Amino acid sequence: MGLFGDRRPTGSGLRGPAADLIELRAKDDSISTALWFKEEHLDEPVLHDGVEAVLPFLEMPMTGGVCELVHWDAREGVFVYATGEAWSVAELAVVLKDLDELMSTRAVGELLLHTTKLLADASEAGDSHGVLSHGALTPWRLFLSLEGKPRLVGHGVLQPEFSRFHADDTYLPSSRSLRYAPPERFERKPEDVRSDVFSLGLIALELLVGEPAYLGNAEEVLDQAQVGATAEVLDEVGADLPDMLVDVLAGMLHPDPAERMLPEEVLDALAEGVDGLAGESLGELMGRMAGEARIADVELPPEEEEEADALPEEGGTAGDEPAAEAEVPDEELEQAARDAESALANCEREVEDARALWEDLPADLREEDGEEWTALLDEIKGLIGEG
C-alpha cells in the first residue's frame, strides 16, 4: 500500500497553507481527495487524539454532502475523503482569477444557501459525537461537484496550525491560514455552527469581489481577523451588490457569535431571493469548469509520482510509449502552460508574506551560512523576485 492506501494520484493537486490537496483514483475508477498535511504539523494532537475522539463520525457522518473519511494515516498526515469528481473552492477561485472572472451573484447565493443547509445538517448529526461545527472551513475544505453541489472535507479535523499558534507564542500561521477563521477561534472560545457561518461568509465575499476580505501579511491579517474586520469591505463593495446579499453577508459576518445570523436565519433570508439574483447558476458554472484544465502544483514523493505517471491515459494502457516521432498535441501544451500559470497564481497570496519576512530580516542574517538556511532564503527570494 502506498502513501494514499490503494489509491493513486491522478496528477491534479493544489497547494494549501497547512495541507495540500491531492486528487486520487481507485482501481474501480472512483475519485477521492487527500488532505496531506505538511510535515511541520504532523505531531499536533488535533491530528491524532483529536481525530480518534470523533473517528466514528468522520468515517460515517450520515449527512449527505459531508464526505466520508475512507483512509487515514496520521503519521504521514494523510486524510483521504470520498469526494467524487469535485473541485475545491480554492482551485475554482484560482481558475476564475486566471480567466479574469468573478462568480455571479446567483452562483454565490446558491453556494450560501446549499452550504449553510449542509453545515446545519452536519452540526445536528455531529452533536452526539461532540462535533458541533466543521472547525476549519476554508476554500481548501469546501468542494463543489460538477453539478454544483457543495461537499465538505475535513469536517471535525481542526486546524493544526491553530493549535500550534495557541501553544507557541513565537509561531504565527500564514496569512492564508488566518484569513477564514472566526474571531472566537483566536480567543480559544467554544465554537459551534455559527463559526462555520462566519467562515462561509468570508469565502462568499471573496468569490464576489475577487480578493480576500483581509489583505496584507500574516501580522496584518491577524489584526483584522481576530476582530472580524469585514464591515469596511462590505461598505466598499455593497453598492455593486444586491441589497439582499449584502444584508445576509453582514449578518453572517458579525464579529460577535451571539449577534451573528443562525443557519436557519440565513436560509430564510436567502430562500426567496436567490432565484432573482443575476448570472449563471452554480451548476452552470461547474459544468463550464469541467472543460478547464486542472491545477497540478503539488510535489509528490518519487514513488507516488511514478504511480501517477503509470496511470493509463484514455484509449491506452499503462506503460505505453508514444512513437518516437510523435509530436506533443497542442492541447497538451496549452494545458501545461495553464498548469504553470495556475501554480503561479496560487503562489500570489504567499508573496506578501515572503516579502515582509525578507524585509524584516537583519542584513547579517540575509547572508547567513548553512545549507537549510540558504535553501529557505532562496525560496523566499524566489517568491519575491530578489536576485
Side-chain angles (χ1 to χ4, degrees):
M1 295 251 292
L3 178 63
F4 307 112
D6 60 355
R7 299 164 178 83
R8 297 293 176 260
T10 65
S12 296
L14 182 71
R15 290 187 303 116
D20 297 332
L21 299 175
I22 312 292
E23 187 182 72
L24 307 170
R25 186 186 300 277
K27 292 180 180 179
D28 64 0
D29 282 339
S30 61
I31 298 294
S32 54
T33 303
L35 276 178
W36 185 22
F37 286 93
K38 301 182 188 299
E39 186 174 359
E40 64 184 282
H41 302 304
L42 297 189
D43 292 331
E44 293 298 331
V46 295
L47 298 183
H48 298 268
D49 295 343
V51 172
E52 289 278 8
V54 296
L55 192 58
F57 177 75
L58 302 186
E59 293 181 330
M60 193 174 293
M62 303 296 289
T63 305
V66 179
C67 298
E68 298 176 358
L69 180 66
V70 294
H71 175 75
W72 171 45
D73 186 345
R75 294 171 302 175
E76 299 289 348
V78 171
F79 294 71
V80 179
Y81 293 89
T83 55
E85 292 190 64
W87 286 46
S88 71
V89 170
E91 180 176 12
L92 177 61
V94 171
V95 172
L96 287 175
K97 185 173 183 178
D98 286 348
L99 296 172
D100 197 25
E101 294 183 18
L102 296 175
M103 187 179 284
S104 73
T105 56
R106 180 180 175 186
V108 171
E110 291 176 349
L111 176 68
L112 287 172
L113 181 67
H114 300 311
T115 307
T116 300
K117 178 65 165 61
L118 175 54
L119 290 167
D121 291 345
S123 178
E124 183 177 352
D127 187 16
S128 61
H129 298 273
V131 184
L132 302 180
S133 69
H134 186 292
L137 187 64
T138 70
W140 293 270
R141 299 209 198 180
L142 174 58
F143 279 63
L144 290 168
S145 72
L146 298 185
E147 295 74 40
K149 303 298 184 184
R151 295 174 181 171
L152 302 175
V153 305
H155 192 96
V157 179
L158 305 183
Q159 288 178 280
E161 64 268 42
F162 264 83
S163 63
R164 182 178 172 187
F165 171 64
H166 291 312
D168 182 354
D169 291 340
T170 67
Y171 174 74
L172 182 63
S174 74
S175 59
R176 294 195 298 166
S177 285
L178 299 170
R179 279 194 175 112
Y180 307 98
E184 53 267 29
R185 189 167 301 158
F186 296 92
E187 301 178 15
R188 305 189 71 173
K189 291 182 177 180
E191 296 186 28
D192 57 29
V193 71
R194 291 172 297 180
S195 304
D196 293 340
V197 166
F198 190 93
S199 297
L200 178 60
L202 287 173
I203 294 169
L205 182 57
E206 179 175 339
L207 292 170
L208 282 169
V209 302
E211 63 181 16
Y214 309 138
L215 297 174
N217 61 34
E219 290 186 353
E220 293 167 334
V221 169
L222 174 63
D223 290 340
Q224 300 166 73
Q226 60 190 356
V227 297
T230 60
E232 184 176 338
V233 178
L234 279 172
D235 286 343
E236 290 177 358
V237 303
D240 299 324
L241 299 174
D243 291 342
M244 182 272 290
L245 207 51
V246 174
D247 291 343
V248 169
L249 287 172
M252 296 176 72
L253 293 171
H254 198 291
D256 183 354
E259 301 295 327
R260 195 175 300 153
M261 269 184 160
L262 293 168
E264 53 267 31
E265 294 174 322
V266 175
L267 296 175
D268 287 345
L270 290 170
E272 297 183 3
V274 167
D275 289 342
L277 296 175
E280 64 184 344
S281 69
L282 205 52
E284 291 168 340
L285 169 63
M286 293 310 299
R288 184 161 58 86
M289 289 299 105
E292 295 292 332
R294 301 296 300 275
I295 297 175
D297 68 354
V298 177
E299 183 177 351
L300 295 170
E303 62 274 16
E304 297 292 344
E305 290 277 14
E306 292 172 5
E307 292 285 357
D309 291 342
L311 288 175
E313 298 289 342
E314 185 176 351
T317 58
D320 284 351
E321 294 291 339
E325 299 300 323
E327 296 183 0
V328 180
D330 289 344
E331 58 267 23
E332 290 187 18
L333 292 174
E334 291 173 2
Q335 179 168 340
R338 180 62 177 279
D339 287 344
E341 291 174 1
S342 297
L344 287 173
N346 194 46
C347 287
E348 286 181 356
R349 293 182 183 176
E350 298 177 351
V351 172
E352 292 175 346
D353 285 351
R355 185 179 300 279
L357 177 58
W358 177 253
E359 291 174 351
D360 288 344
L361 285 174
D364 57 336
L365 284 184
R366 296 188 188 184
E367 305 300 329
E368 185 73 23
D369 291 332
E371 182 176 344
E372 291 186 3
W373 183 253
T374 301
L376 176 61
L377 292 183
D378 287 344
E379 182 177 353
I380 295 171
K381 290 188 286 186
L383 278 172
I384 65 177
E386 294 285 348

